[in-house]
Amino acid sequence: AARGRARRCGRRRIARCVARSTPRGADEDVDRVGVLDVMCGRRQGAAMLATLATTIGGGCAHAATTSSSSLFCGYFDEYSNGLVPQYAFNTPWNEGYVDGADGAKTFVRGVGDYKKAKKEANAPVFVIANGPGISHEYLSGVETLSGEVGGAREVFEYDQRGCGKSDAVGGERNIDVYLNEARDVVKALRLADEGGAHVLAHGYWGARIALTLALETPGLVRSLTLVSPAPSYARQVADWRLALDDVSPSARDAILAYEQDLDARARPAYDDAMREFSSK
């Protein structure tokens, strides 16, 4: 599927948010708009997709085609037996960065066609990943909510500070850093200003951010879907400590070491350890 540049995602041109601060040619993703050729959701994303589709009244009927899936990964490679739905080749998407008040950049990915969504009165979906330190990619199966309606629903995801394509956290890592980041993204996308969004949040961390935004931002939330939220942070930590007793000492040490300082050099060992953790 050839990548095109003819159609942008309506008025929410994420690239516009970064044109002032990103050197020309420094990041091709900032200005590229084409077809949705990477939908990299994982098992958790698929489960959340089913939950959210029920919430917003959408359906999930996969229309498989005979097109090659060699350009795809994640969601379709794992769940479609090598068959890729046609909409995955022609759903418009956009990527770019939102500038925070402190000058740090947050990577944002948008899928869907604003004009189509507006015409059909489909509110966008705003996805908040668990974290900190987890890229949005494991949730990107949610992008099918746009593709399956011909792009007539926008889906927005972002990488929280310190992971994925977003800038690192310069100082102390605390919830306020990530709340301010989410506020900046919501403001840049004008979600509250233009009728609100269906908000999907995962885990204690994502749920805490989503609930705070919902309480403080009138008009933002059309519906709120919280997946695996914990009743409290203290309880979540206690449960994780108990769960870590089931993995090998080396895996336990790798998990704790990475989550202590989010050092990218320790990420491969952390990923291996989390695979062992998830298999328990």
Side-chain angles (χ1 to χ4, degrees):
R3 292 179 179 174
R5 298 171 60 88
R7 183 168 56 171
R8 293 195 179 269
C9 301
R11 54 114 178 105
R12 294 201 182 103
R13 297 185 181 183
I14 300 172
R16 181 179 295 171
C17 301
V18 294
R20 299 183 303 275
S21 57
T22 303
R24 187 172 182 84
D27 188 343
E28 286 299 318
D29 284 346
V30 170
D31 193 42
R32 71 178 185 184
V33 178
V35 295
L36 179 57
D37 64 4
V38 180
M39 300 184 72
C40 302
R42 293 294 185 263
R43 295 189 185 279
Q44 222 159 17
M48 295 178 195
L49 170 63
T51 301
L52 186 62
T54 300
T55 302
I56 66 177
C60 295
H62 288 259
T65 75
T66 58
S67 302
S68 168
S69 62
S70 60
L71 295 178
F72 292 79
C73 63
Y75 185 84
F76 289 118
D77 279 352
E78 190 165 358
Y79 300 106
S80 65
N81 295 319
L83 299 177
V84 180
Q86 185 60 41
Y87 64 71
F89 292 96
N90 53 30
T91 301
W93 56 276
N94 203 353
E95 295 177 342
Y97 293 84
V98 169
D99 288 334
D102 60 354
K105 294 179 174 59
T106 295
F107 174 80
V108 182
R109 175 174 168 86
V111 177
D113 188 308
Y114 170 73
K115 291 183 179 179
K116 278 188 176 182
K118 199 75 170 177
K119 181 178 180 180
E120 298 189 21
N122 289 331
V125 176
F126 181 55
V127 182
I128 304 175
N130 198 13
I134 304 175
S135 165
H136 78 278
E137 289 185 357
Y138 77 102
L139 291 175
S140 56
V142 179
E143 293 175 359
T144 60
L145 290 172
S146 176
E148 290 183 341
V149 292
R153 184 186 302 282
E154 294 176 290
V155 176
F156 294 102
E157 306 149 292
Y158 70 101
D159 285 341
Q160 295 176 26
R161 295 273 297 276
C163 70
K165 298 180 180 179
S166 293
D167 284 352
V169 179
E172 181 182 357
R173 293 183 178 89
N174 57 55
I175 189 65
D176 289 334
V177 171
Y178 296 93
L179 283 171
N180 288 332
E181 175 184 48
R183 292 172 183 131
D184 290 336
V185 173
V186 166
K187 182 178 179 180
L189 297 176
R190 302 199 297 277
L191 295 178
D193 297 337
E194 298 202 13
H198 299 289
V199 178
L200 168 65
H202 175 226
Y204 166 79
W205 187 261
R208 184 175 179 185
I209 293 174
L211 286 169
T212 301
L213 292 178
L215 290 171
E216 71 181 20
T217 314
L220 170 61
V221 177
R222 297 282 292 269
S223 71
L224 180 60
T225 302
L226 304 179
V227 181
S228 300
S232 72
Y233 183 68
R235 177 59 182 271
Q236 183 190 37
V237 170
D239 288 346
W240 267 75
R241 294 289 182 179
L242 287 173
L244 285 173
D245 290 339
D246 292 333
V247 302
S248 64
S250 60
R252 184 178 188 276
D253 291 345
I255 291 171
L256 294 177
Y258 176 76
E259 294 190 349
Q260 177 67 31
D261 57 15
L262 300 179
D263 185 346
R265 294 169 295 180
R267 185 60 189 256
Y270 172 80
D271 289 341
D272 289 340
M274 286 302 296
R275 278 189 283 272
E276 179 182 332
F277 178 84
S278 298
S279 69
K280 300 297 183 180

